[in-house]
């Protein structure tokens, strides 16, 4: 069983809705990530948090807003999404080193499948 | 940036046979090469990884080989079982970097 827990597993929202995806890990990891995965494609990096601070934003549209309330939690706030944003959103964590995020040994959650109508 | 190519895109094998997936990378600075398995409806799971200071690593029925000179690495699954059916992604990164560059994925089907 994965040690990264994501909720909800499924989410359907309209283009005017505001919703949030949540992620929690209790492995003591201090780097957390949001990835987006379209069907039959590899995961694409969206955001990286290191020690609760946003380290990387891969030019993601502002309708996606990440938040890291503490070292165990990661949220992704969604607002005014488009149908093309429908995808599987994956949270991951890893152990950083040298004060920065570490991409190696990523632990992924099961994902939140988002459908935008 | 790093570009990872993965072949084949689909692979069908008879149960008990071996499966081999190959990846090439472009950035000679990459030194960490993980393999992820993604079952239907689940997130990717790390199954094995290798760093550039070794040429081969084995874990039960799974092995990974790395040729740094040629910039390619491969996943070998022996004695395949139906539960090996999944999508497999190779990836490359700089250890302690922040970004994994994934291959396009290989859908493996093990026929009973």
């Amino acid at each position: 069983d994965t040690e990264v827990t994501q909720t909800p597993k499924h989410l359907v929202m309209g283009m005017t809705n505001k919703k949030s995806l949540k992620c929690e890990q209790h492995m003591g990891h201090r780097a957390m990530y949001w990835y987006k995965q379209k069907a039959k494609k590899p995961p694409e990096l969206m955001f990286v948090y290191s020690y609760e601070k946003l380290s990387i934003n891969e030019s993601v549209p502002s309708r996606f807003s990440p938040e890291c309330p503490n070292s165990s939690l990661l949220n992704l706030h969604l607002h005014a999404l488009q149908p093309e944003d429908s995808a599987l959103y994956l949270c991951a964590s890893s152990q950083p080193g040298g004060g920065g995020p570490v991409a190696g040994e990523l632990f992924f959650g099961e994902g939140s499948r988002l459908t935008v109508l | 940036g790093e570009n990872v190519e993965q072949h084949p895109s689909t692979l069908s094998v008879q149960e008990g046979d071996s499966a081999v997936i190959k990846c090439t990378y472009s950035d000679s600075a990459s030194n960490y090469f993980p393999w992820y398995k993604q079952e239907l409806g689940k997130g990717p799971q790390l199954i094995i990884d290798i760093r550039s200071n070794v040429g081969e690593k084995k874990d039960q029925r799974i092995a990974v080989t790395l040729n740094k000179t040629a910039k390619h690495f491969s996943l070998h699954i022996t004695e395949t079982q139906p539960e090996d059916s999944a999508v497999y992604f190779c990836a490359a990164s700089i250890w302690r970097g922040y970004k994994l560059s994934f291959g396009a994925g290989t859908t493996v089907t093990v026929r009973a």
Side-chain angles (χ1 to χ4, degrees), chain A residues 101-113:
Chain A
V102 172
E105 297 195 68
L106 277 182
F107 292 82
F108 284 92
E110 300 284 285
S112 293
R113 186 161 300 282

Side-chain angles (χ1 to χ4, degrees), chain B residues 9-52:
Chain B
S9 57
T10 61
L11 181 59
S12 180
V13 297
Q14 190 70 36
E15 183 178 358
D17 288 350
S18 295
V20 180
I21 303 170
K22 298 183 179 182
C23 290
T24 61
Y25 62 99
S26 61
D27 188 349
S28 57
S30 291
N31 57 9
Y32 176 66
F33 307 93
W35 286 87
Y36 286 86
K37 174 184 181 182
Q38 187 171 22
E39 297 176 359
L40 196 62
K42 296 192 174 183
Q45 179 186 11
L46 178 69
I47 56 171
I48 195 167
D49 57 12
I50 192 168
R51 298 195 207 182
S52 59

Side-chain angles (χ1 to χ4, degrees), chain B residues 49-112:
Chain B
D49 57 12
I50 192 168
R51 298 195 207 182
S52 59
N53 56 346
V54 298
E56 184 173 0
K57 185 176 178 181
K58 192 173 182 180
D59 183 4
Q60 298 182 2
R61 296 186 298 108
I62 292 173
V64 58
T65 59
L66 171 65
N67 183 328
K68 281 209 72 180
T69 303
K71 295 204 192 86
H72 67 71
F73 56 112
S74 301
L75 178 72
H76 304 253
I77 306 173
T78 58
E79 300 173 20
T80 52
Q81 301 168 4
E83 52 264 37
D84 295 328
S85 295
V87 179
Y88 291 81
F89 292 102
C90 64
S93 78
I94 297 171
W95 182 248
R96 299 196 186 287
Y98 74 90
K99 187 170 183 177
L100 280 176
S101 296
F102 285 93
T106 297
T107 301
V108 173
T109 303
V110 180
R111 306 186 308 272

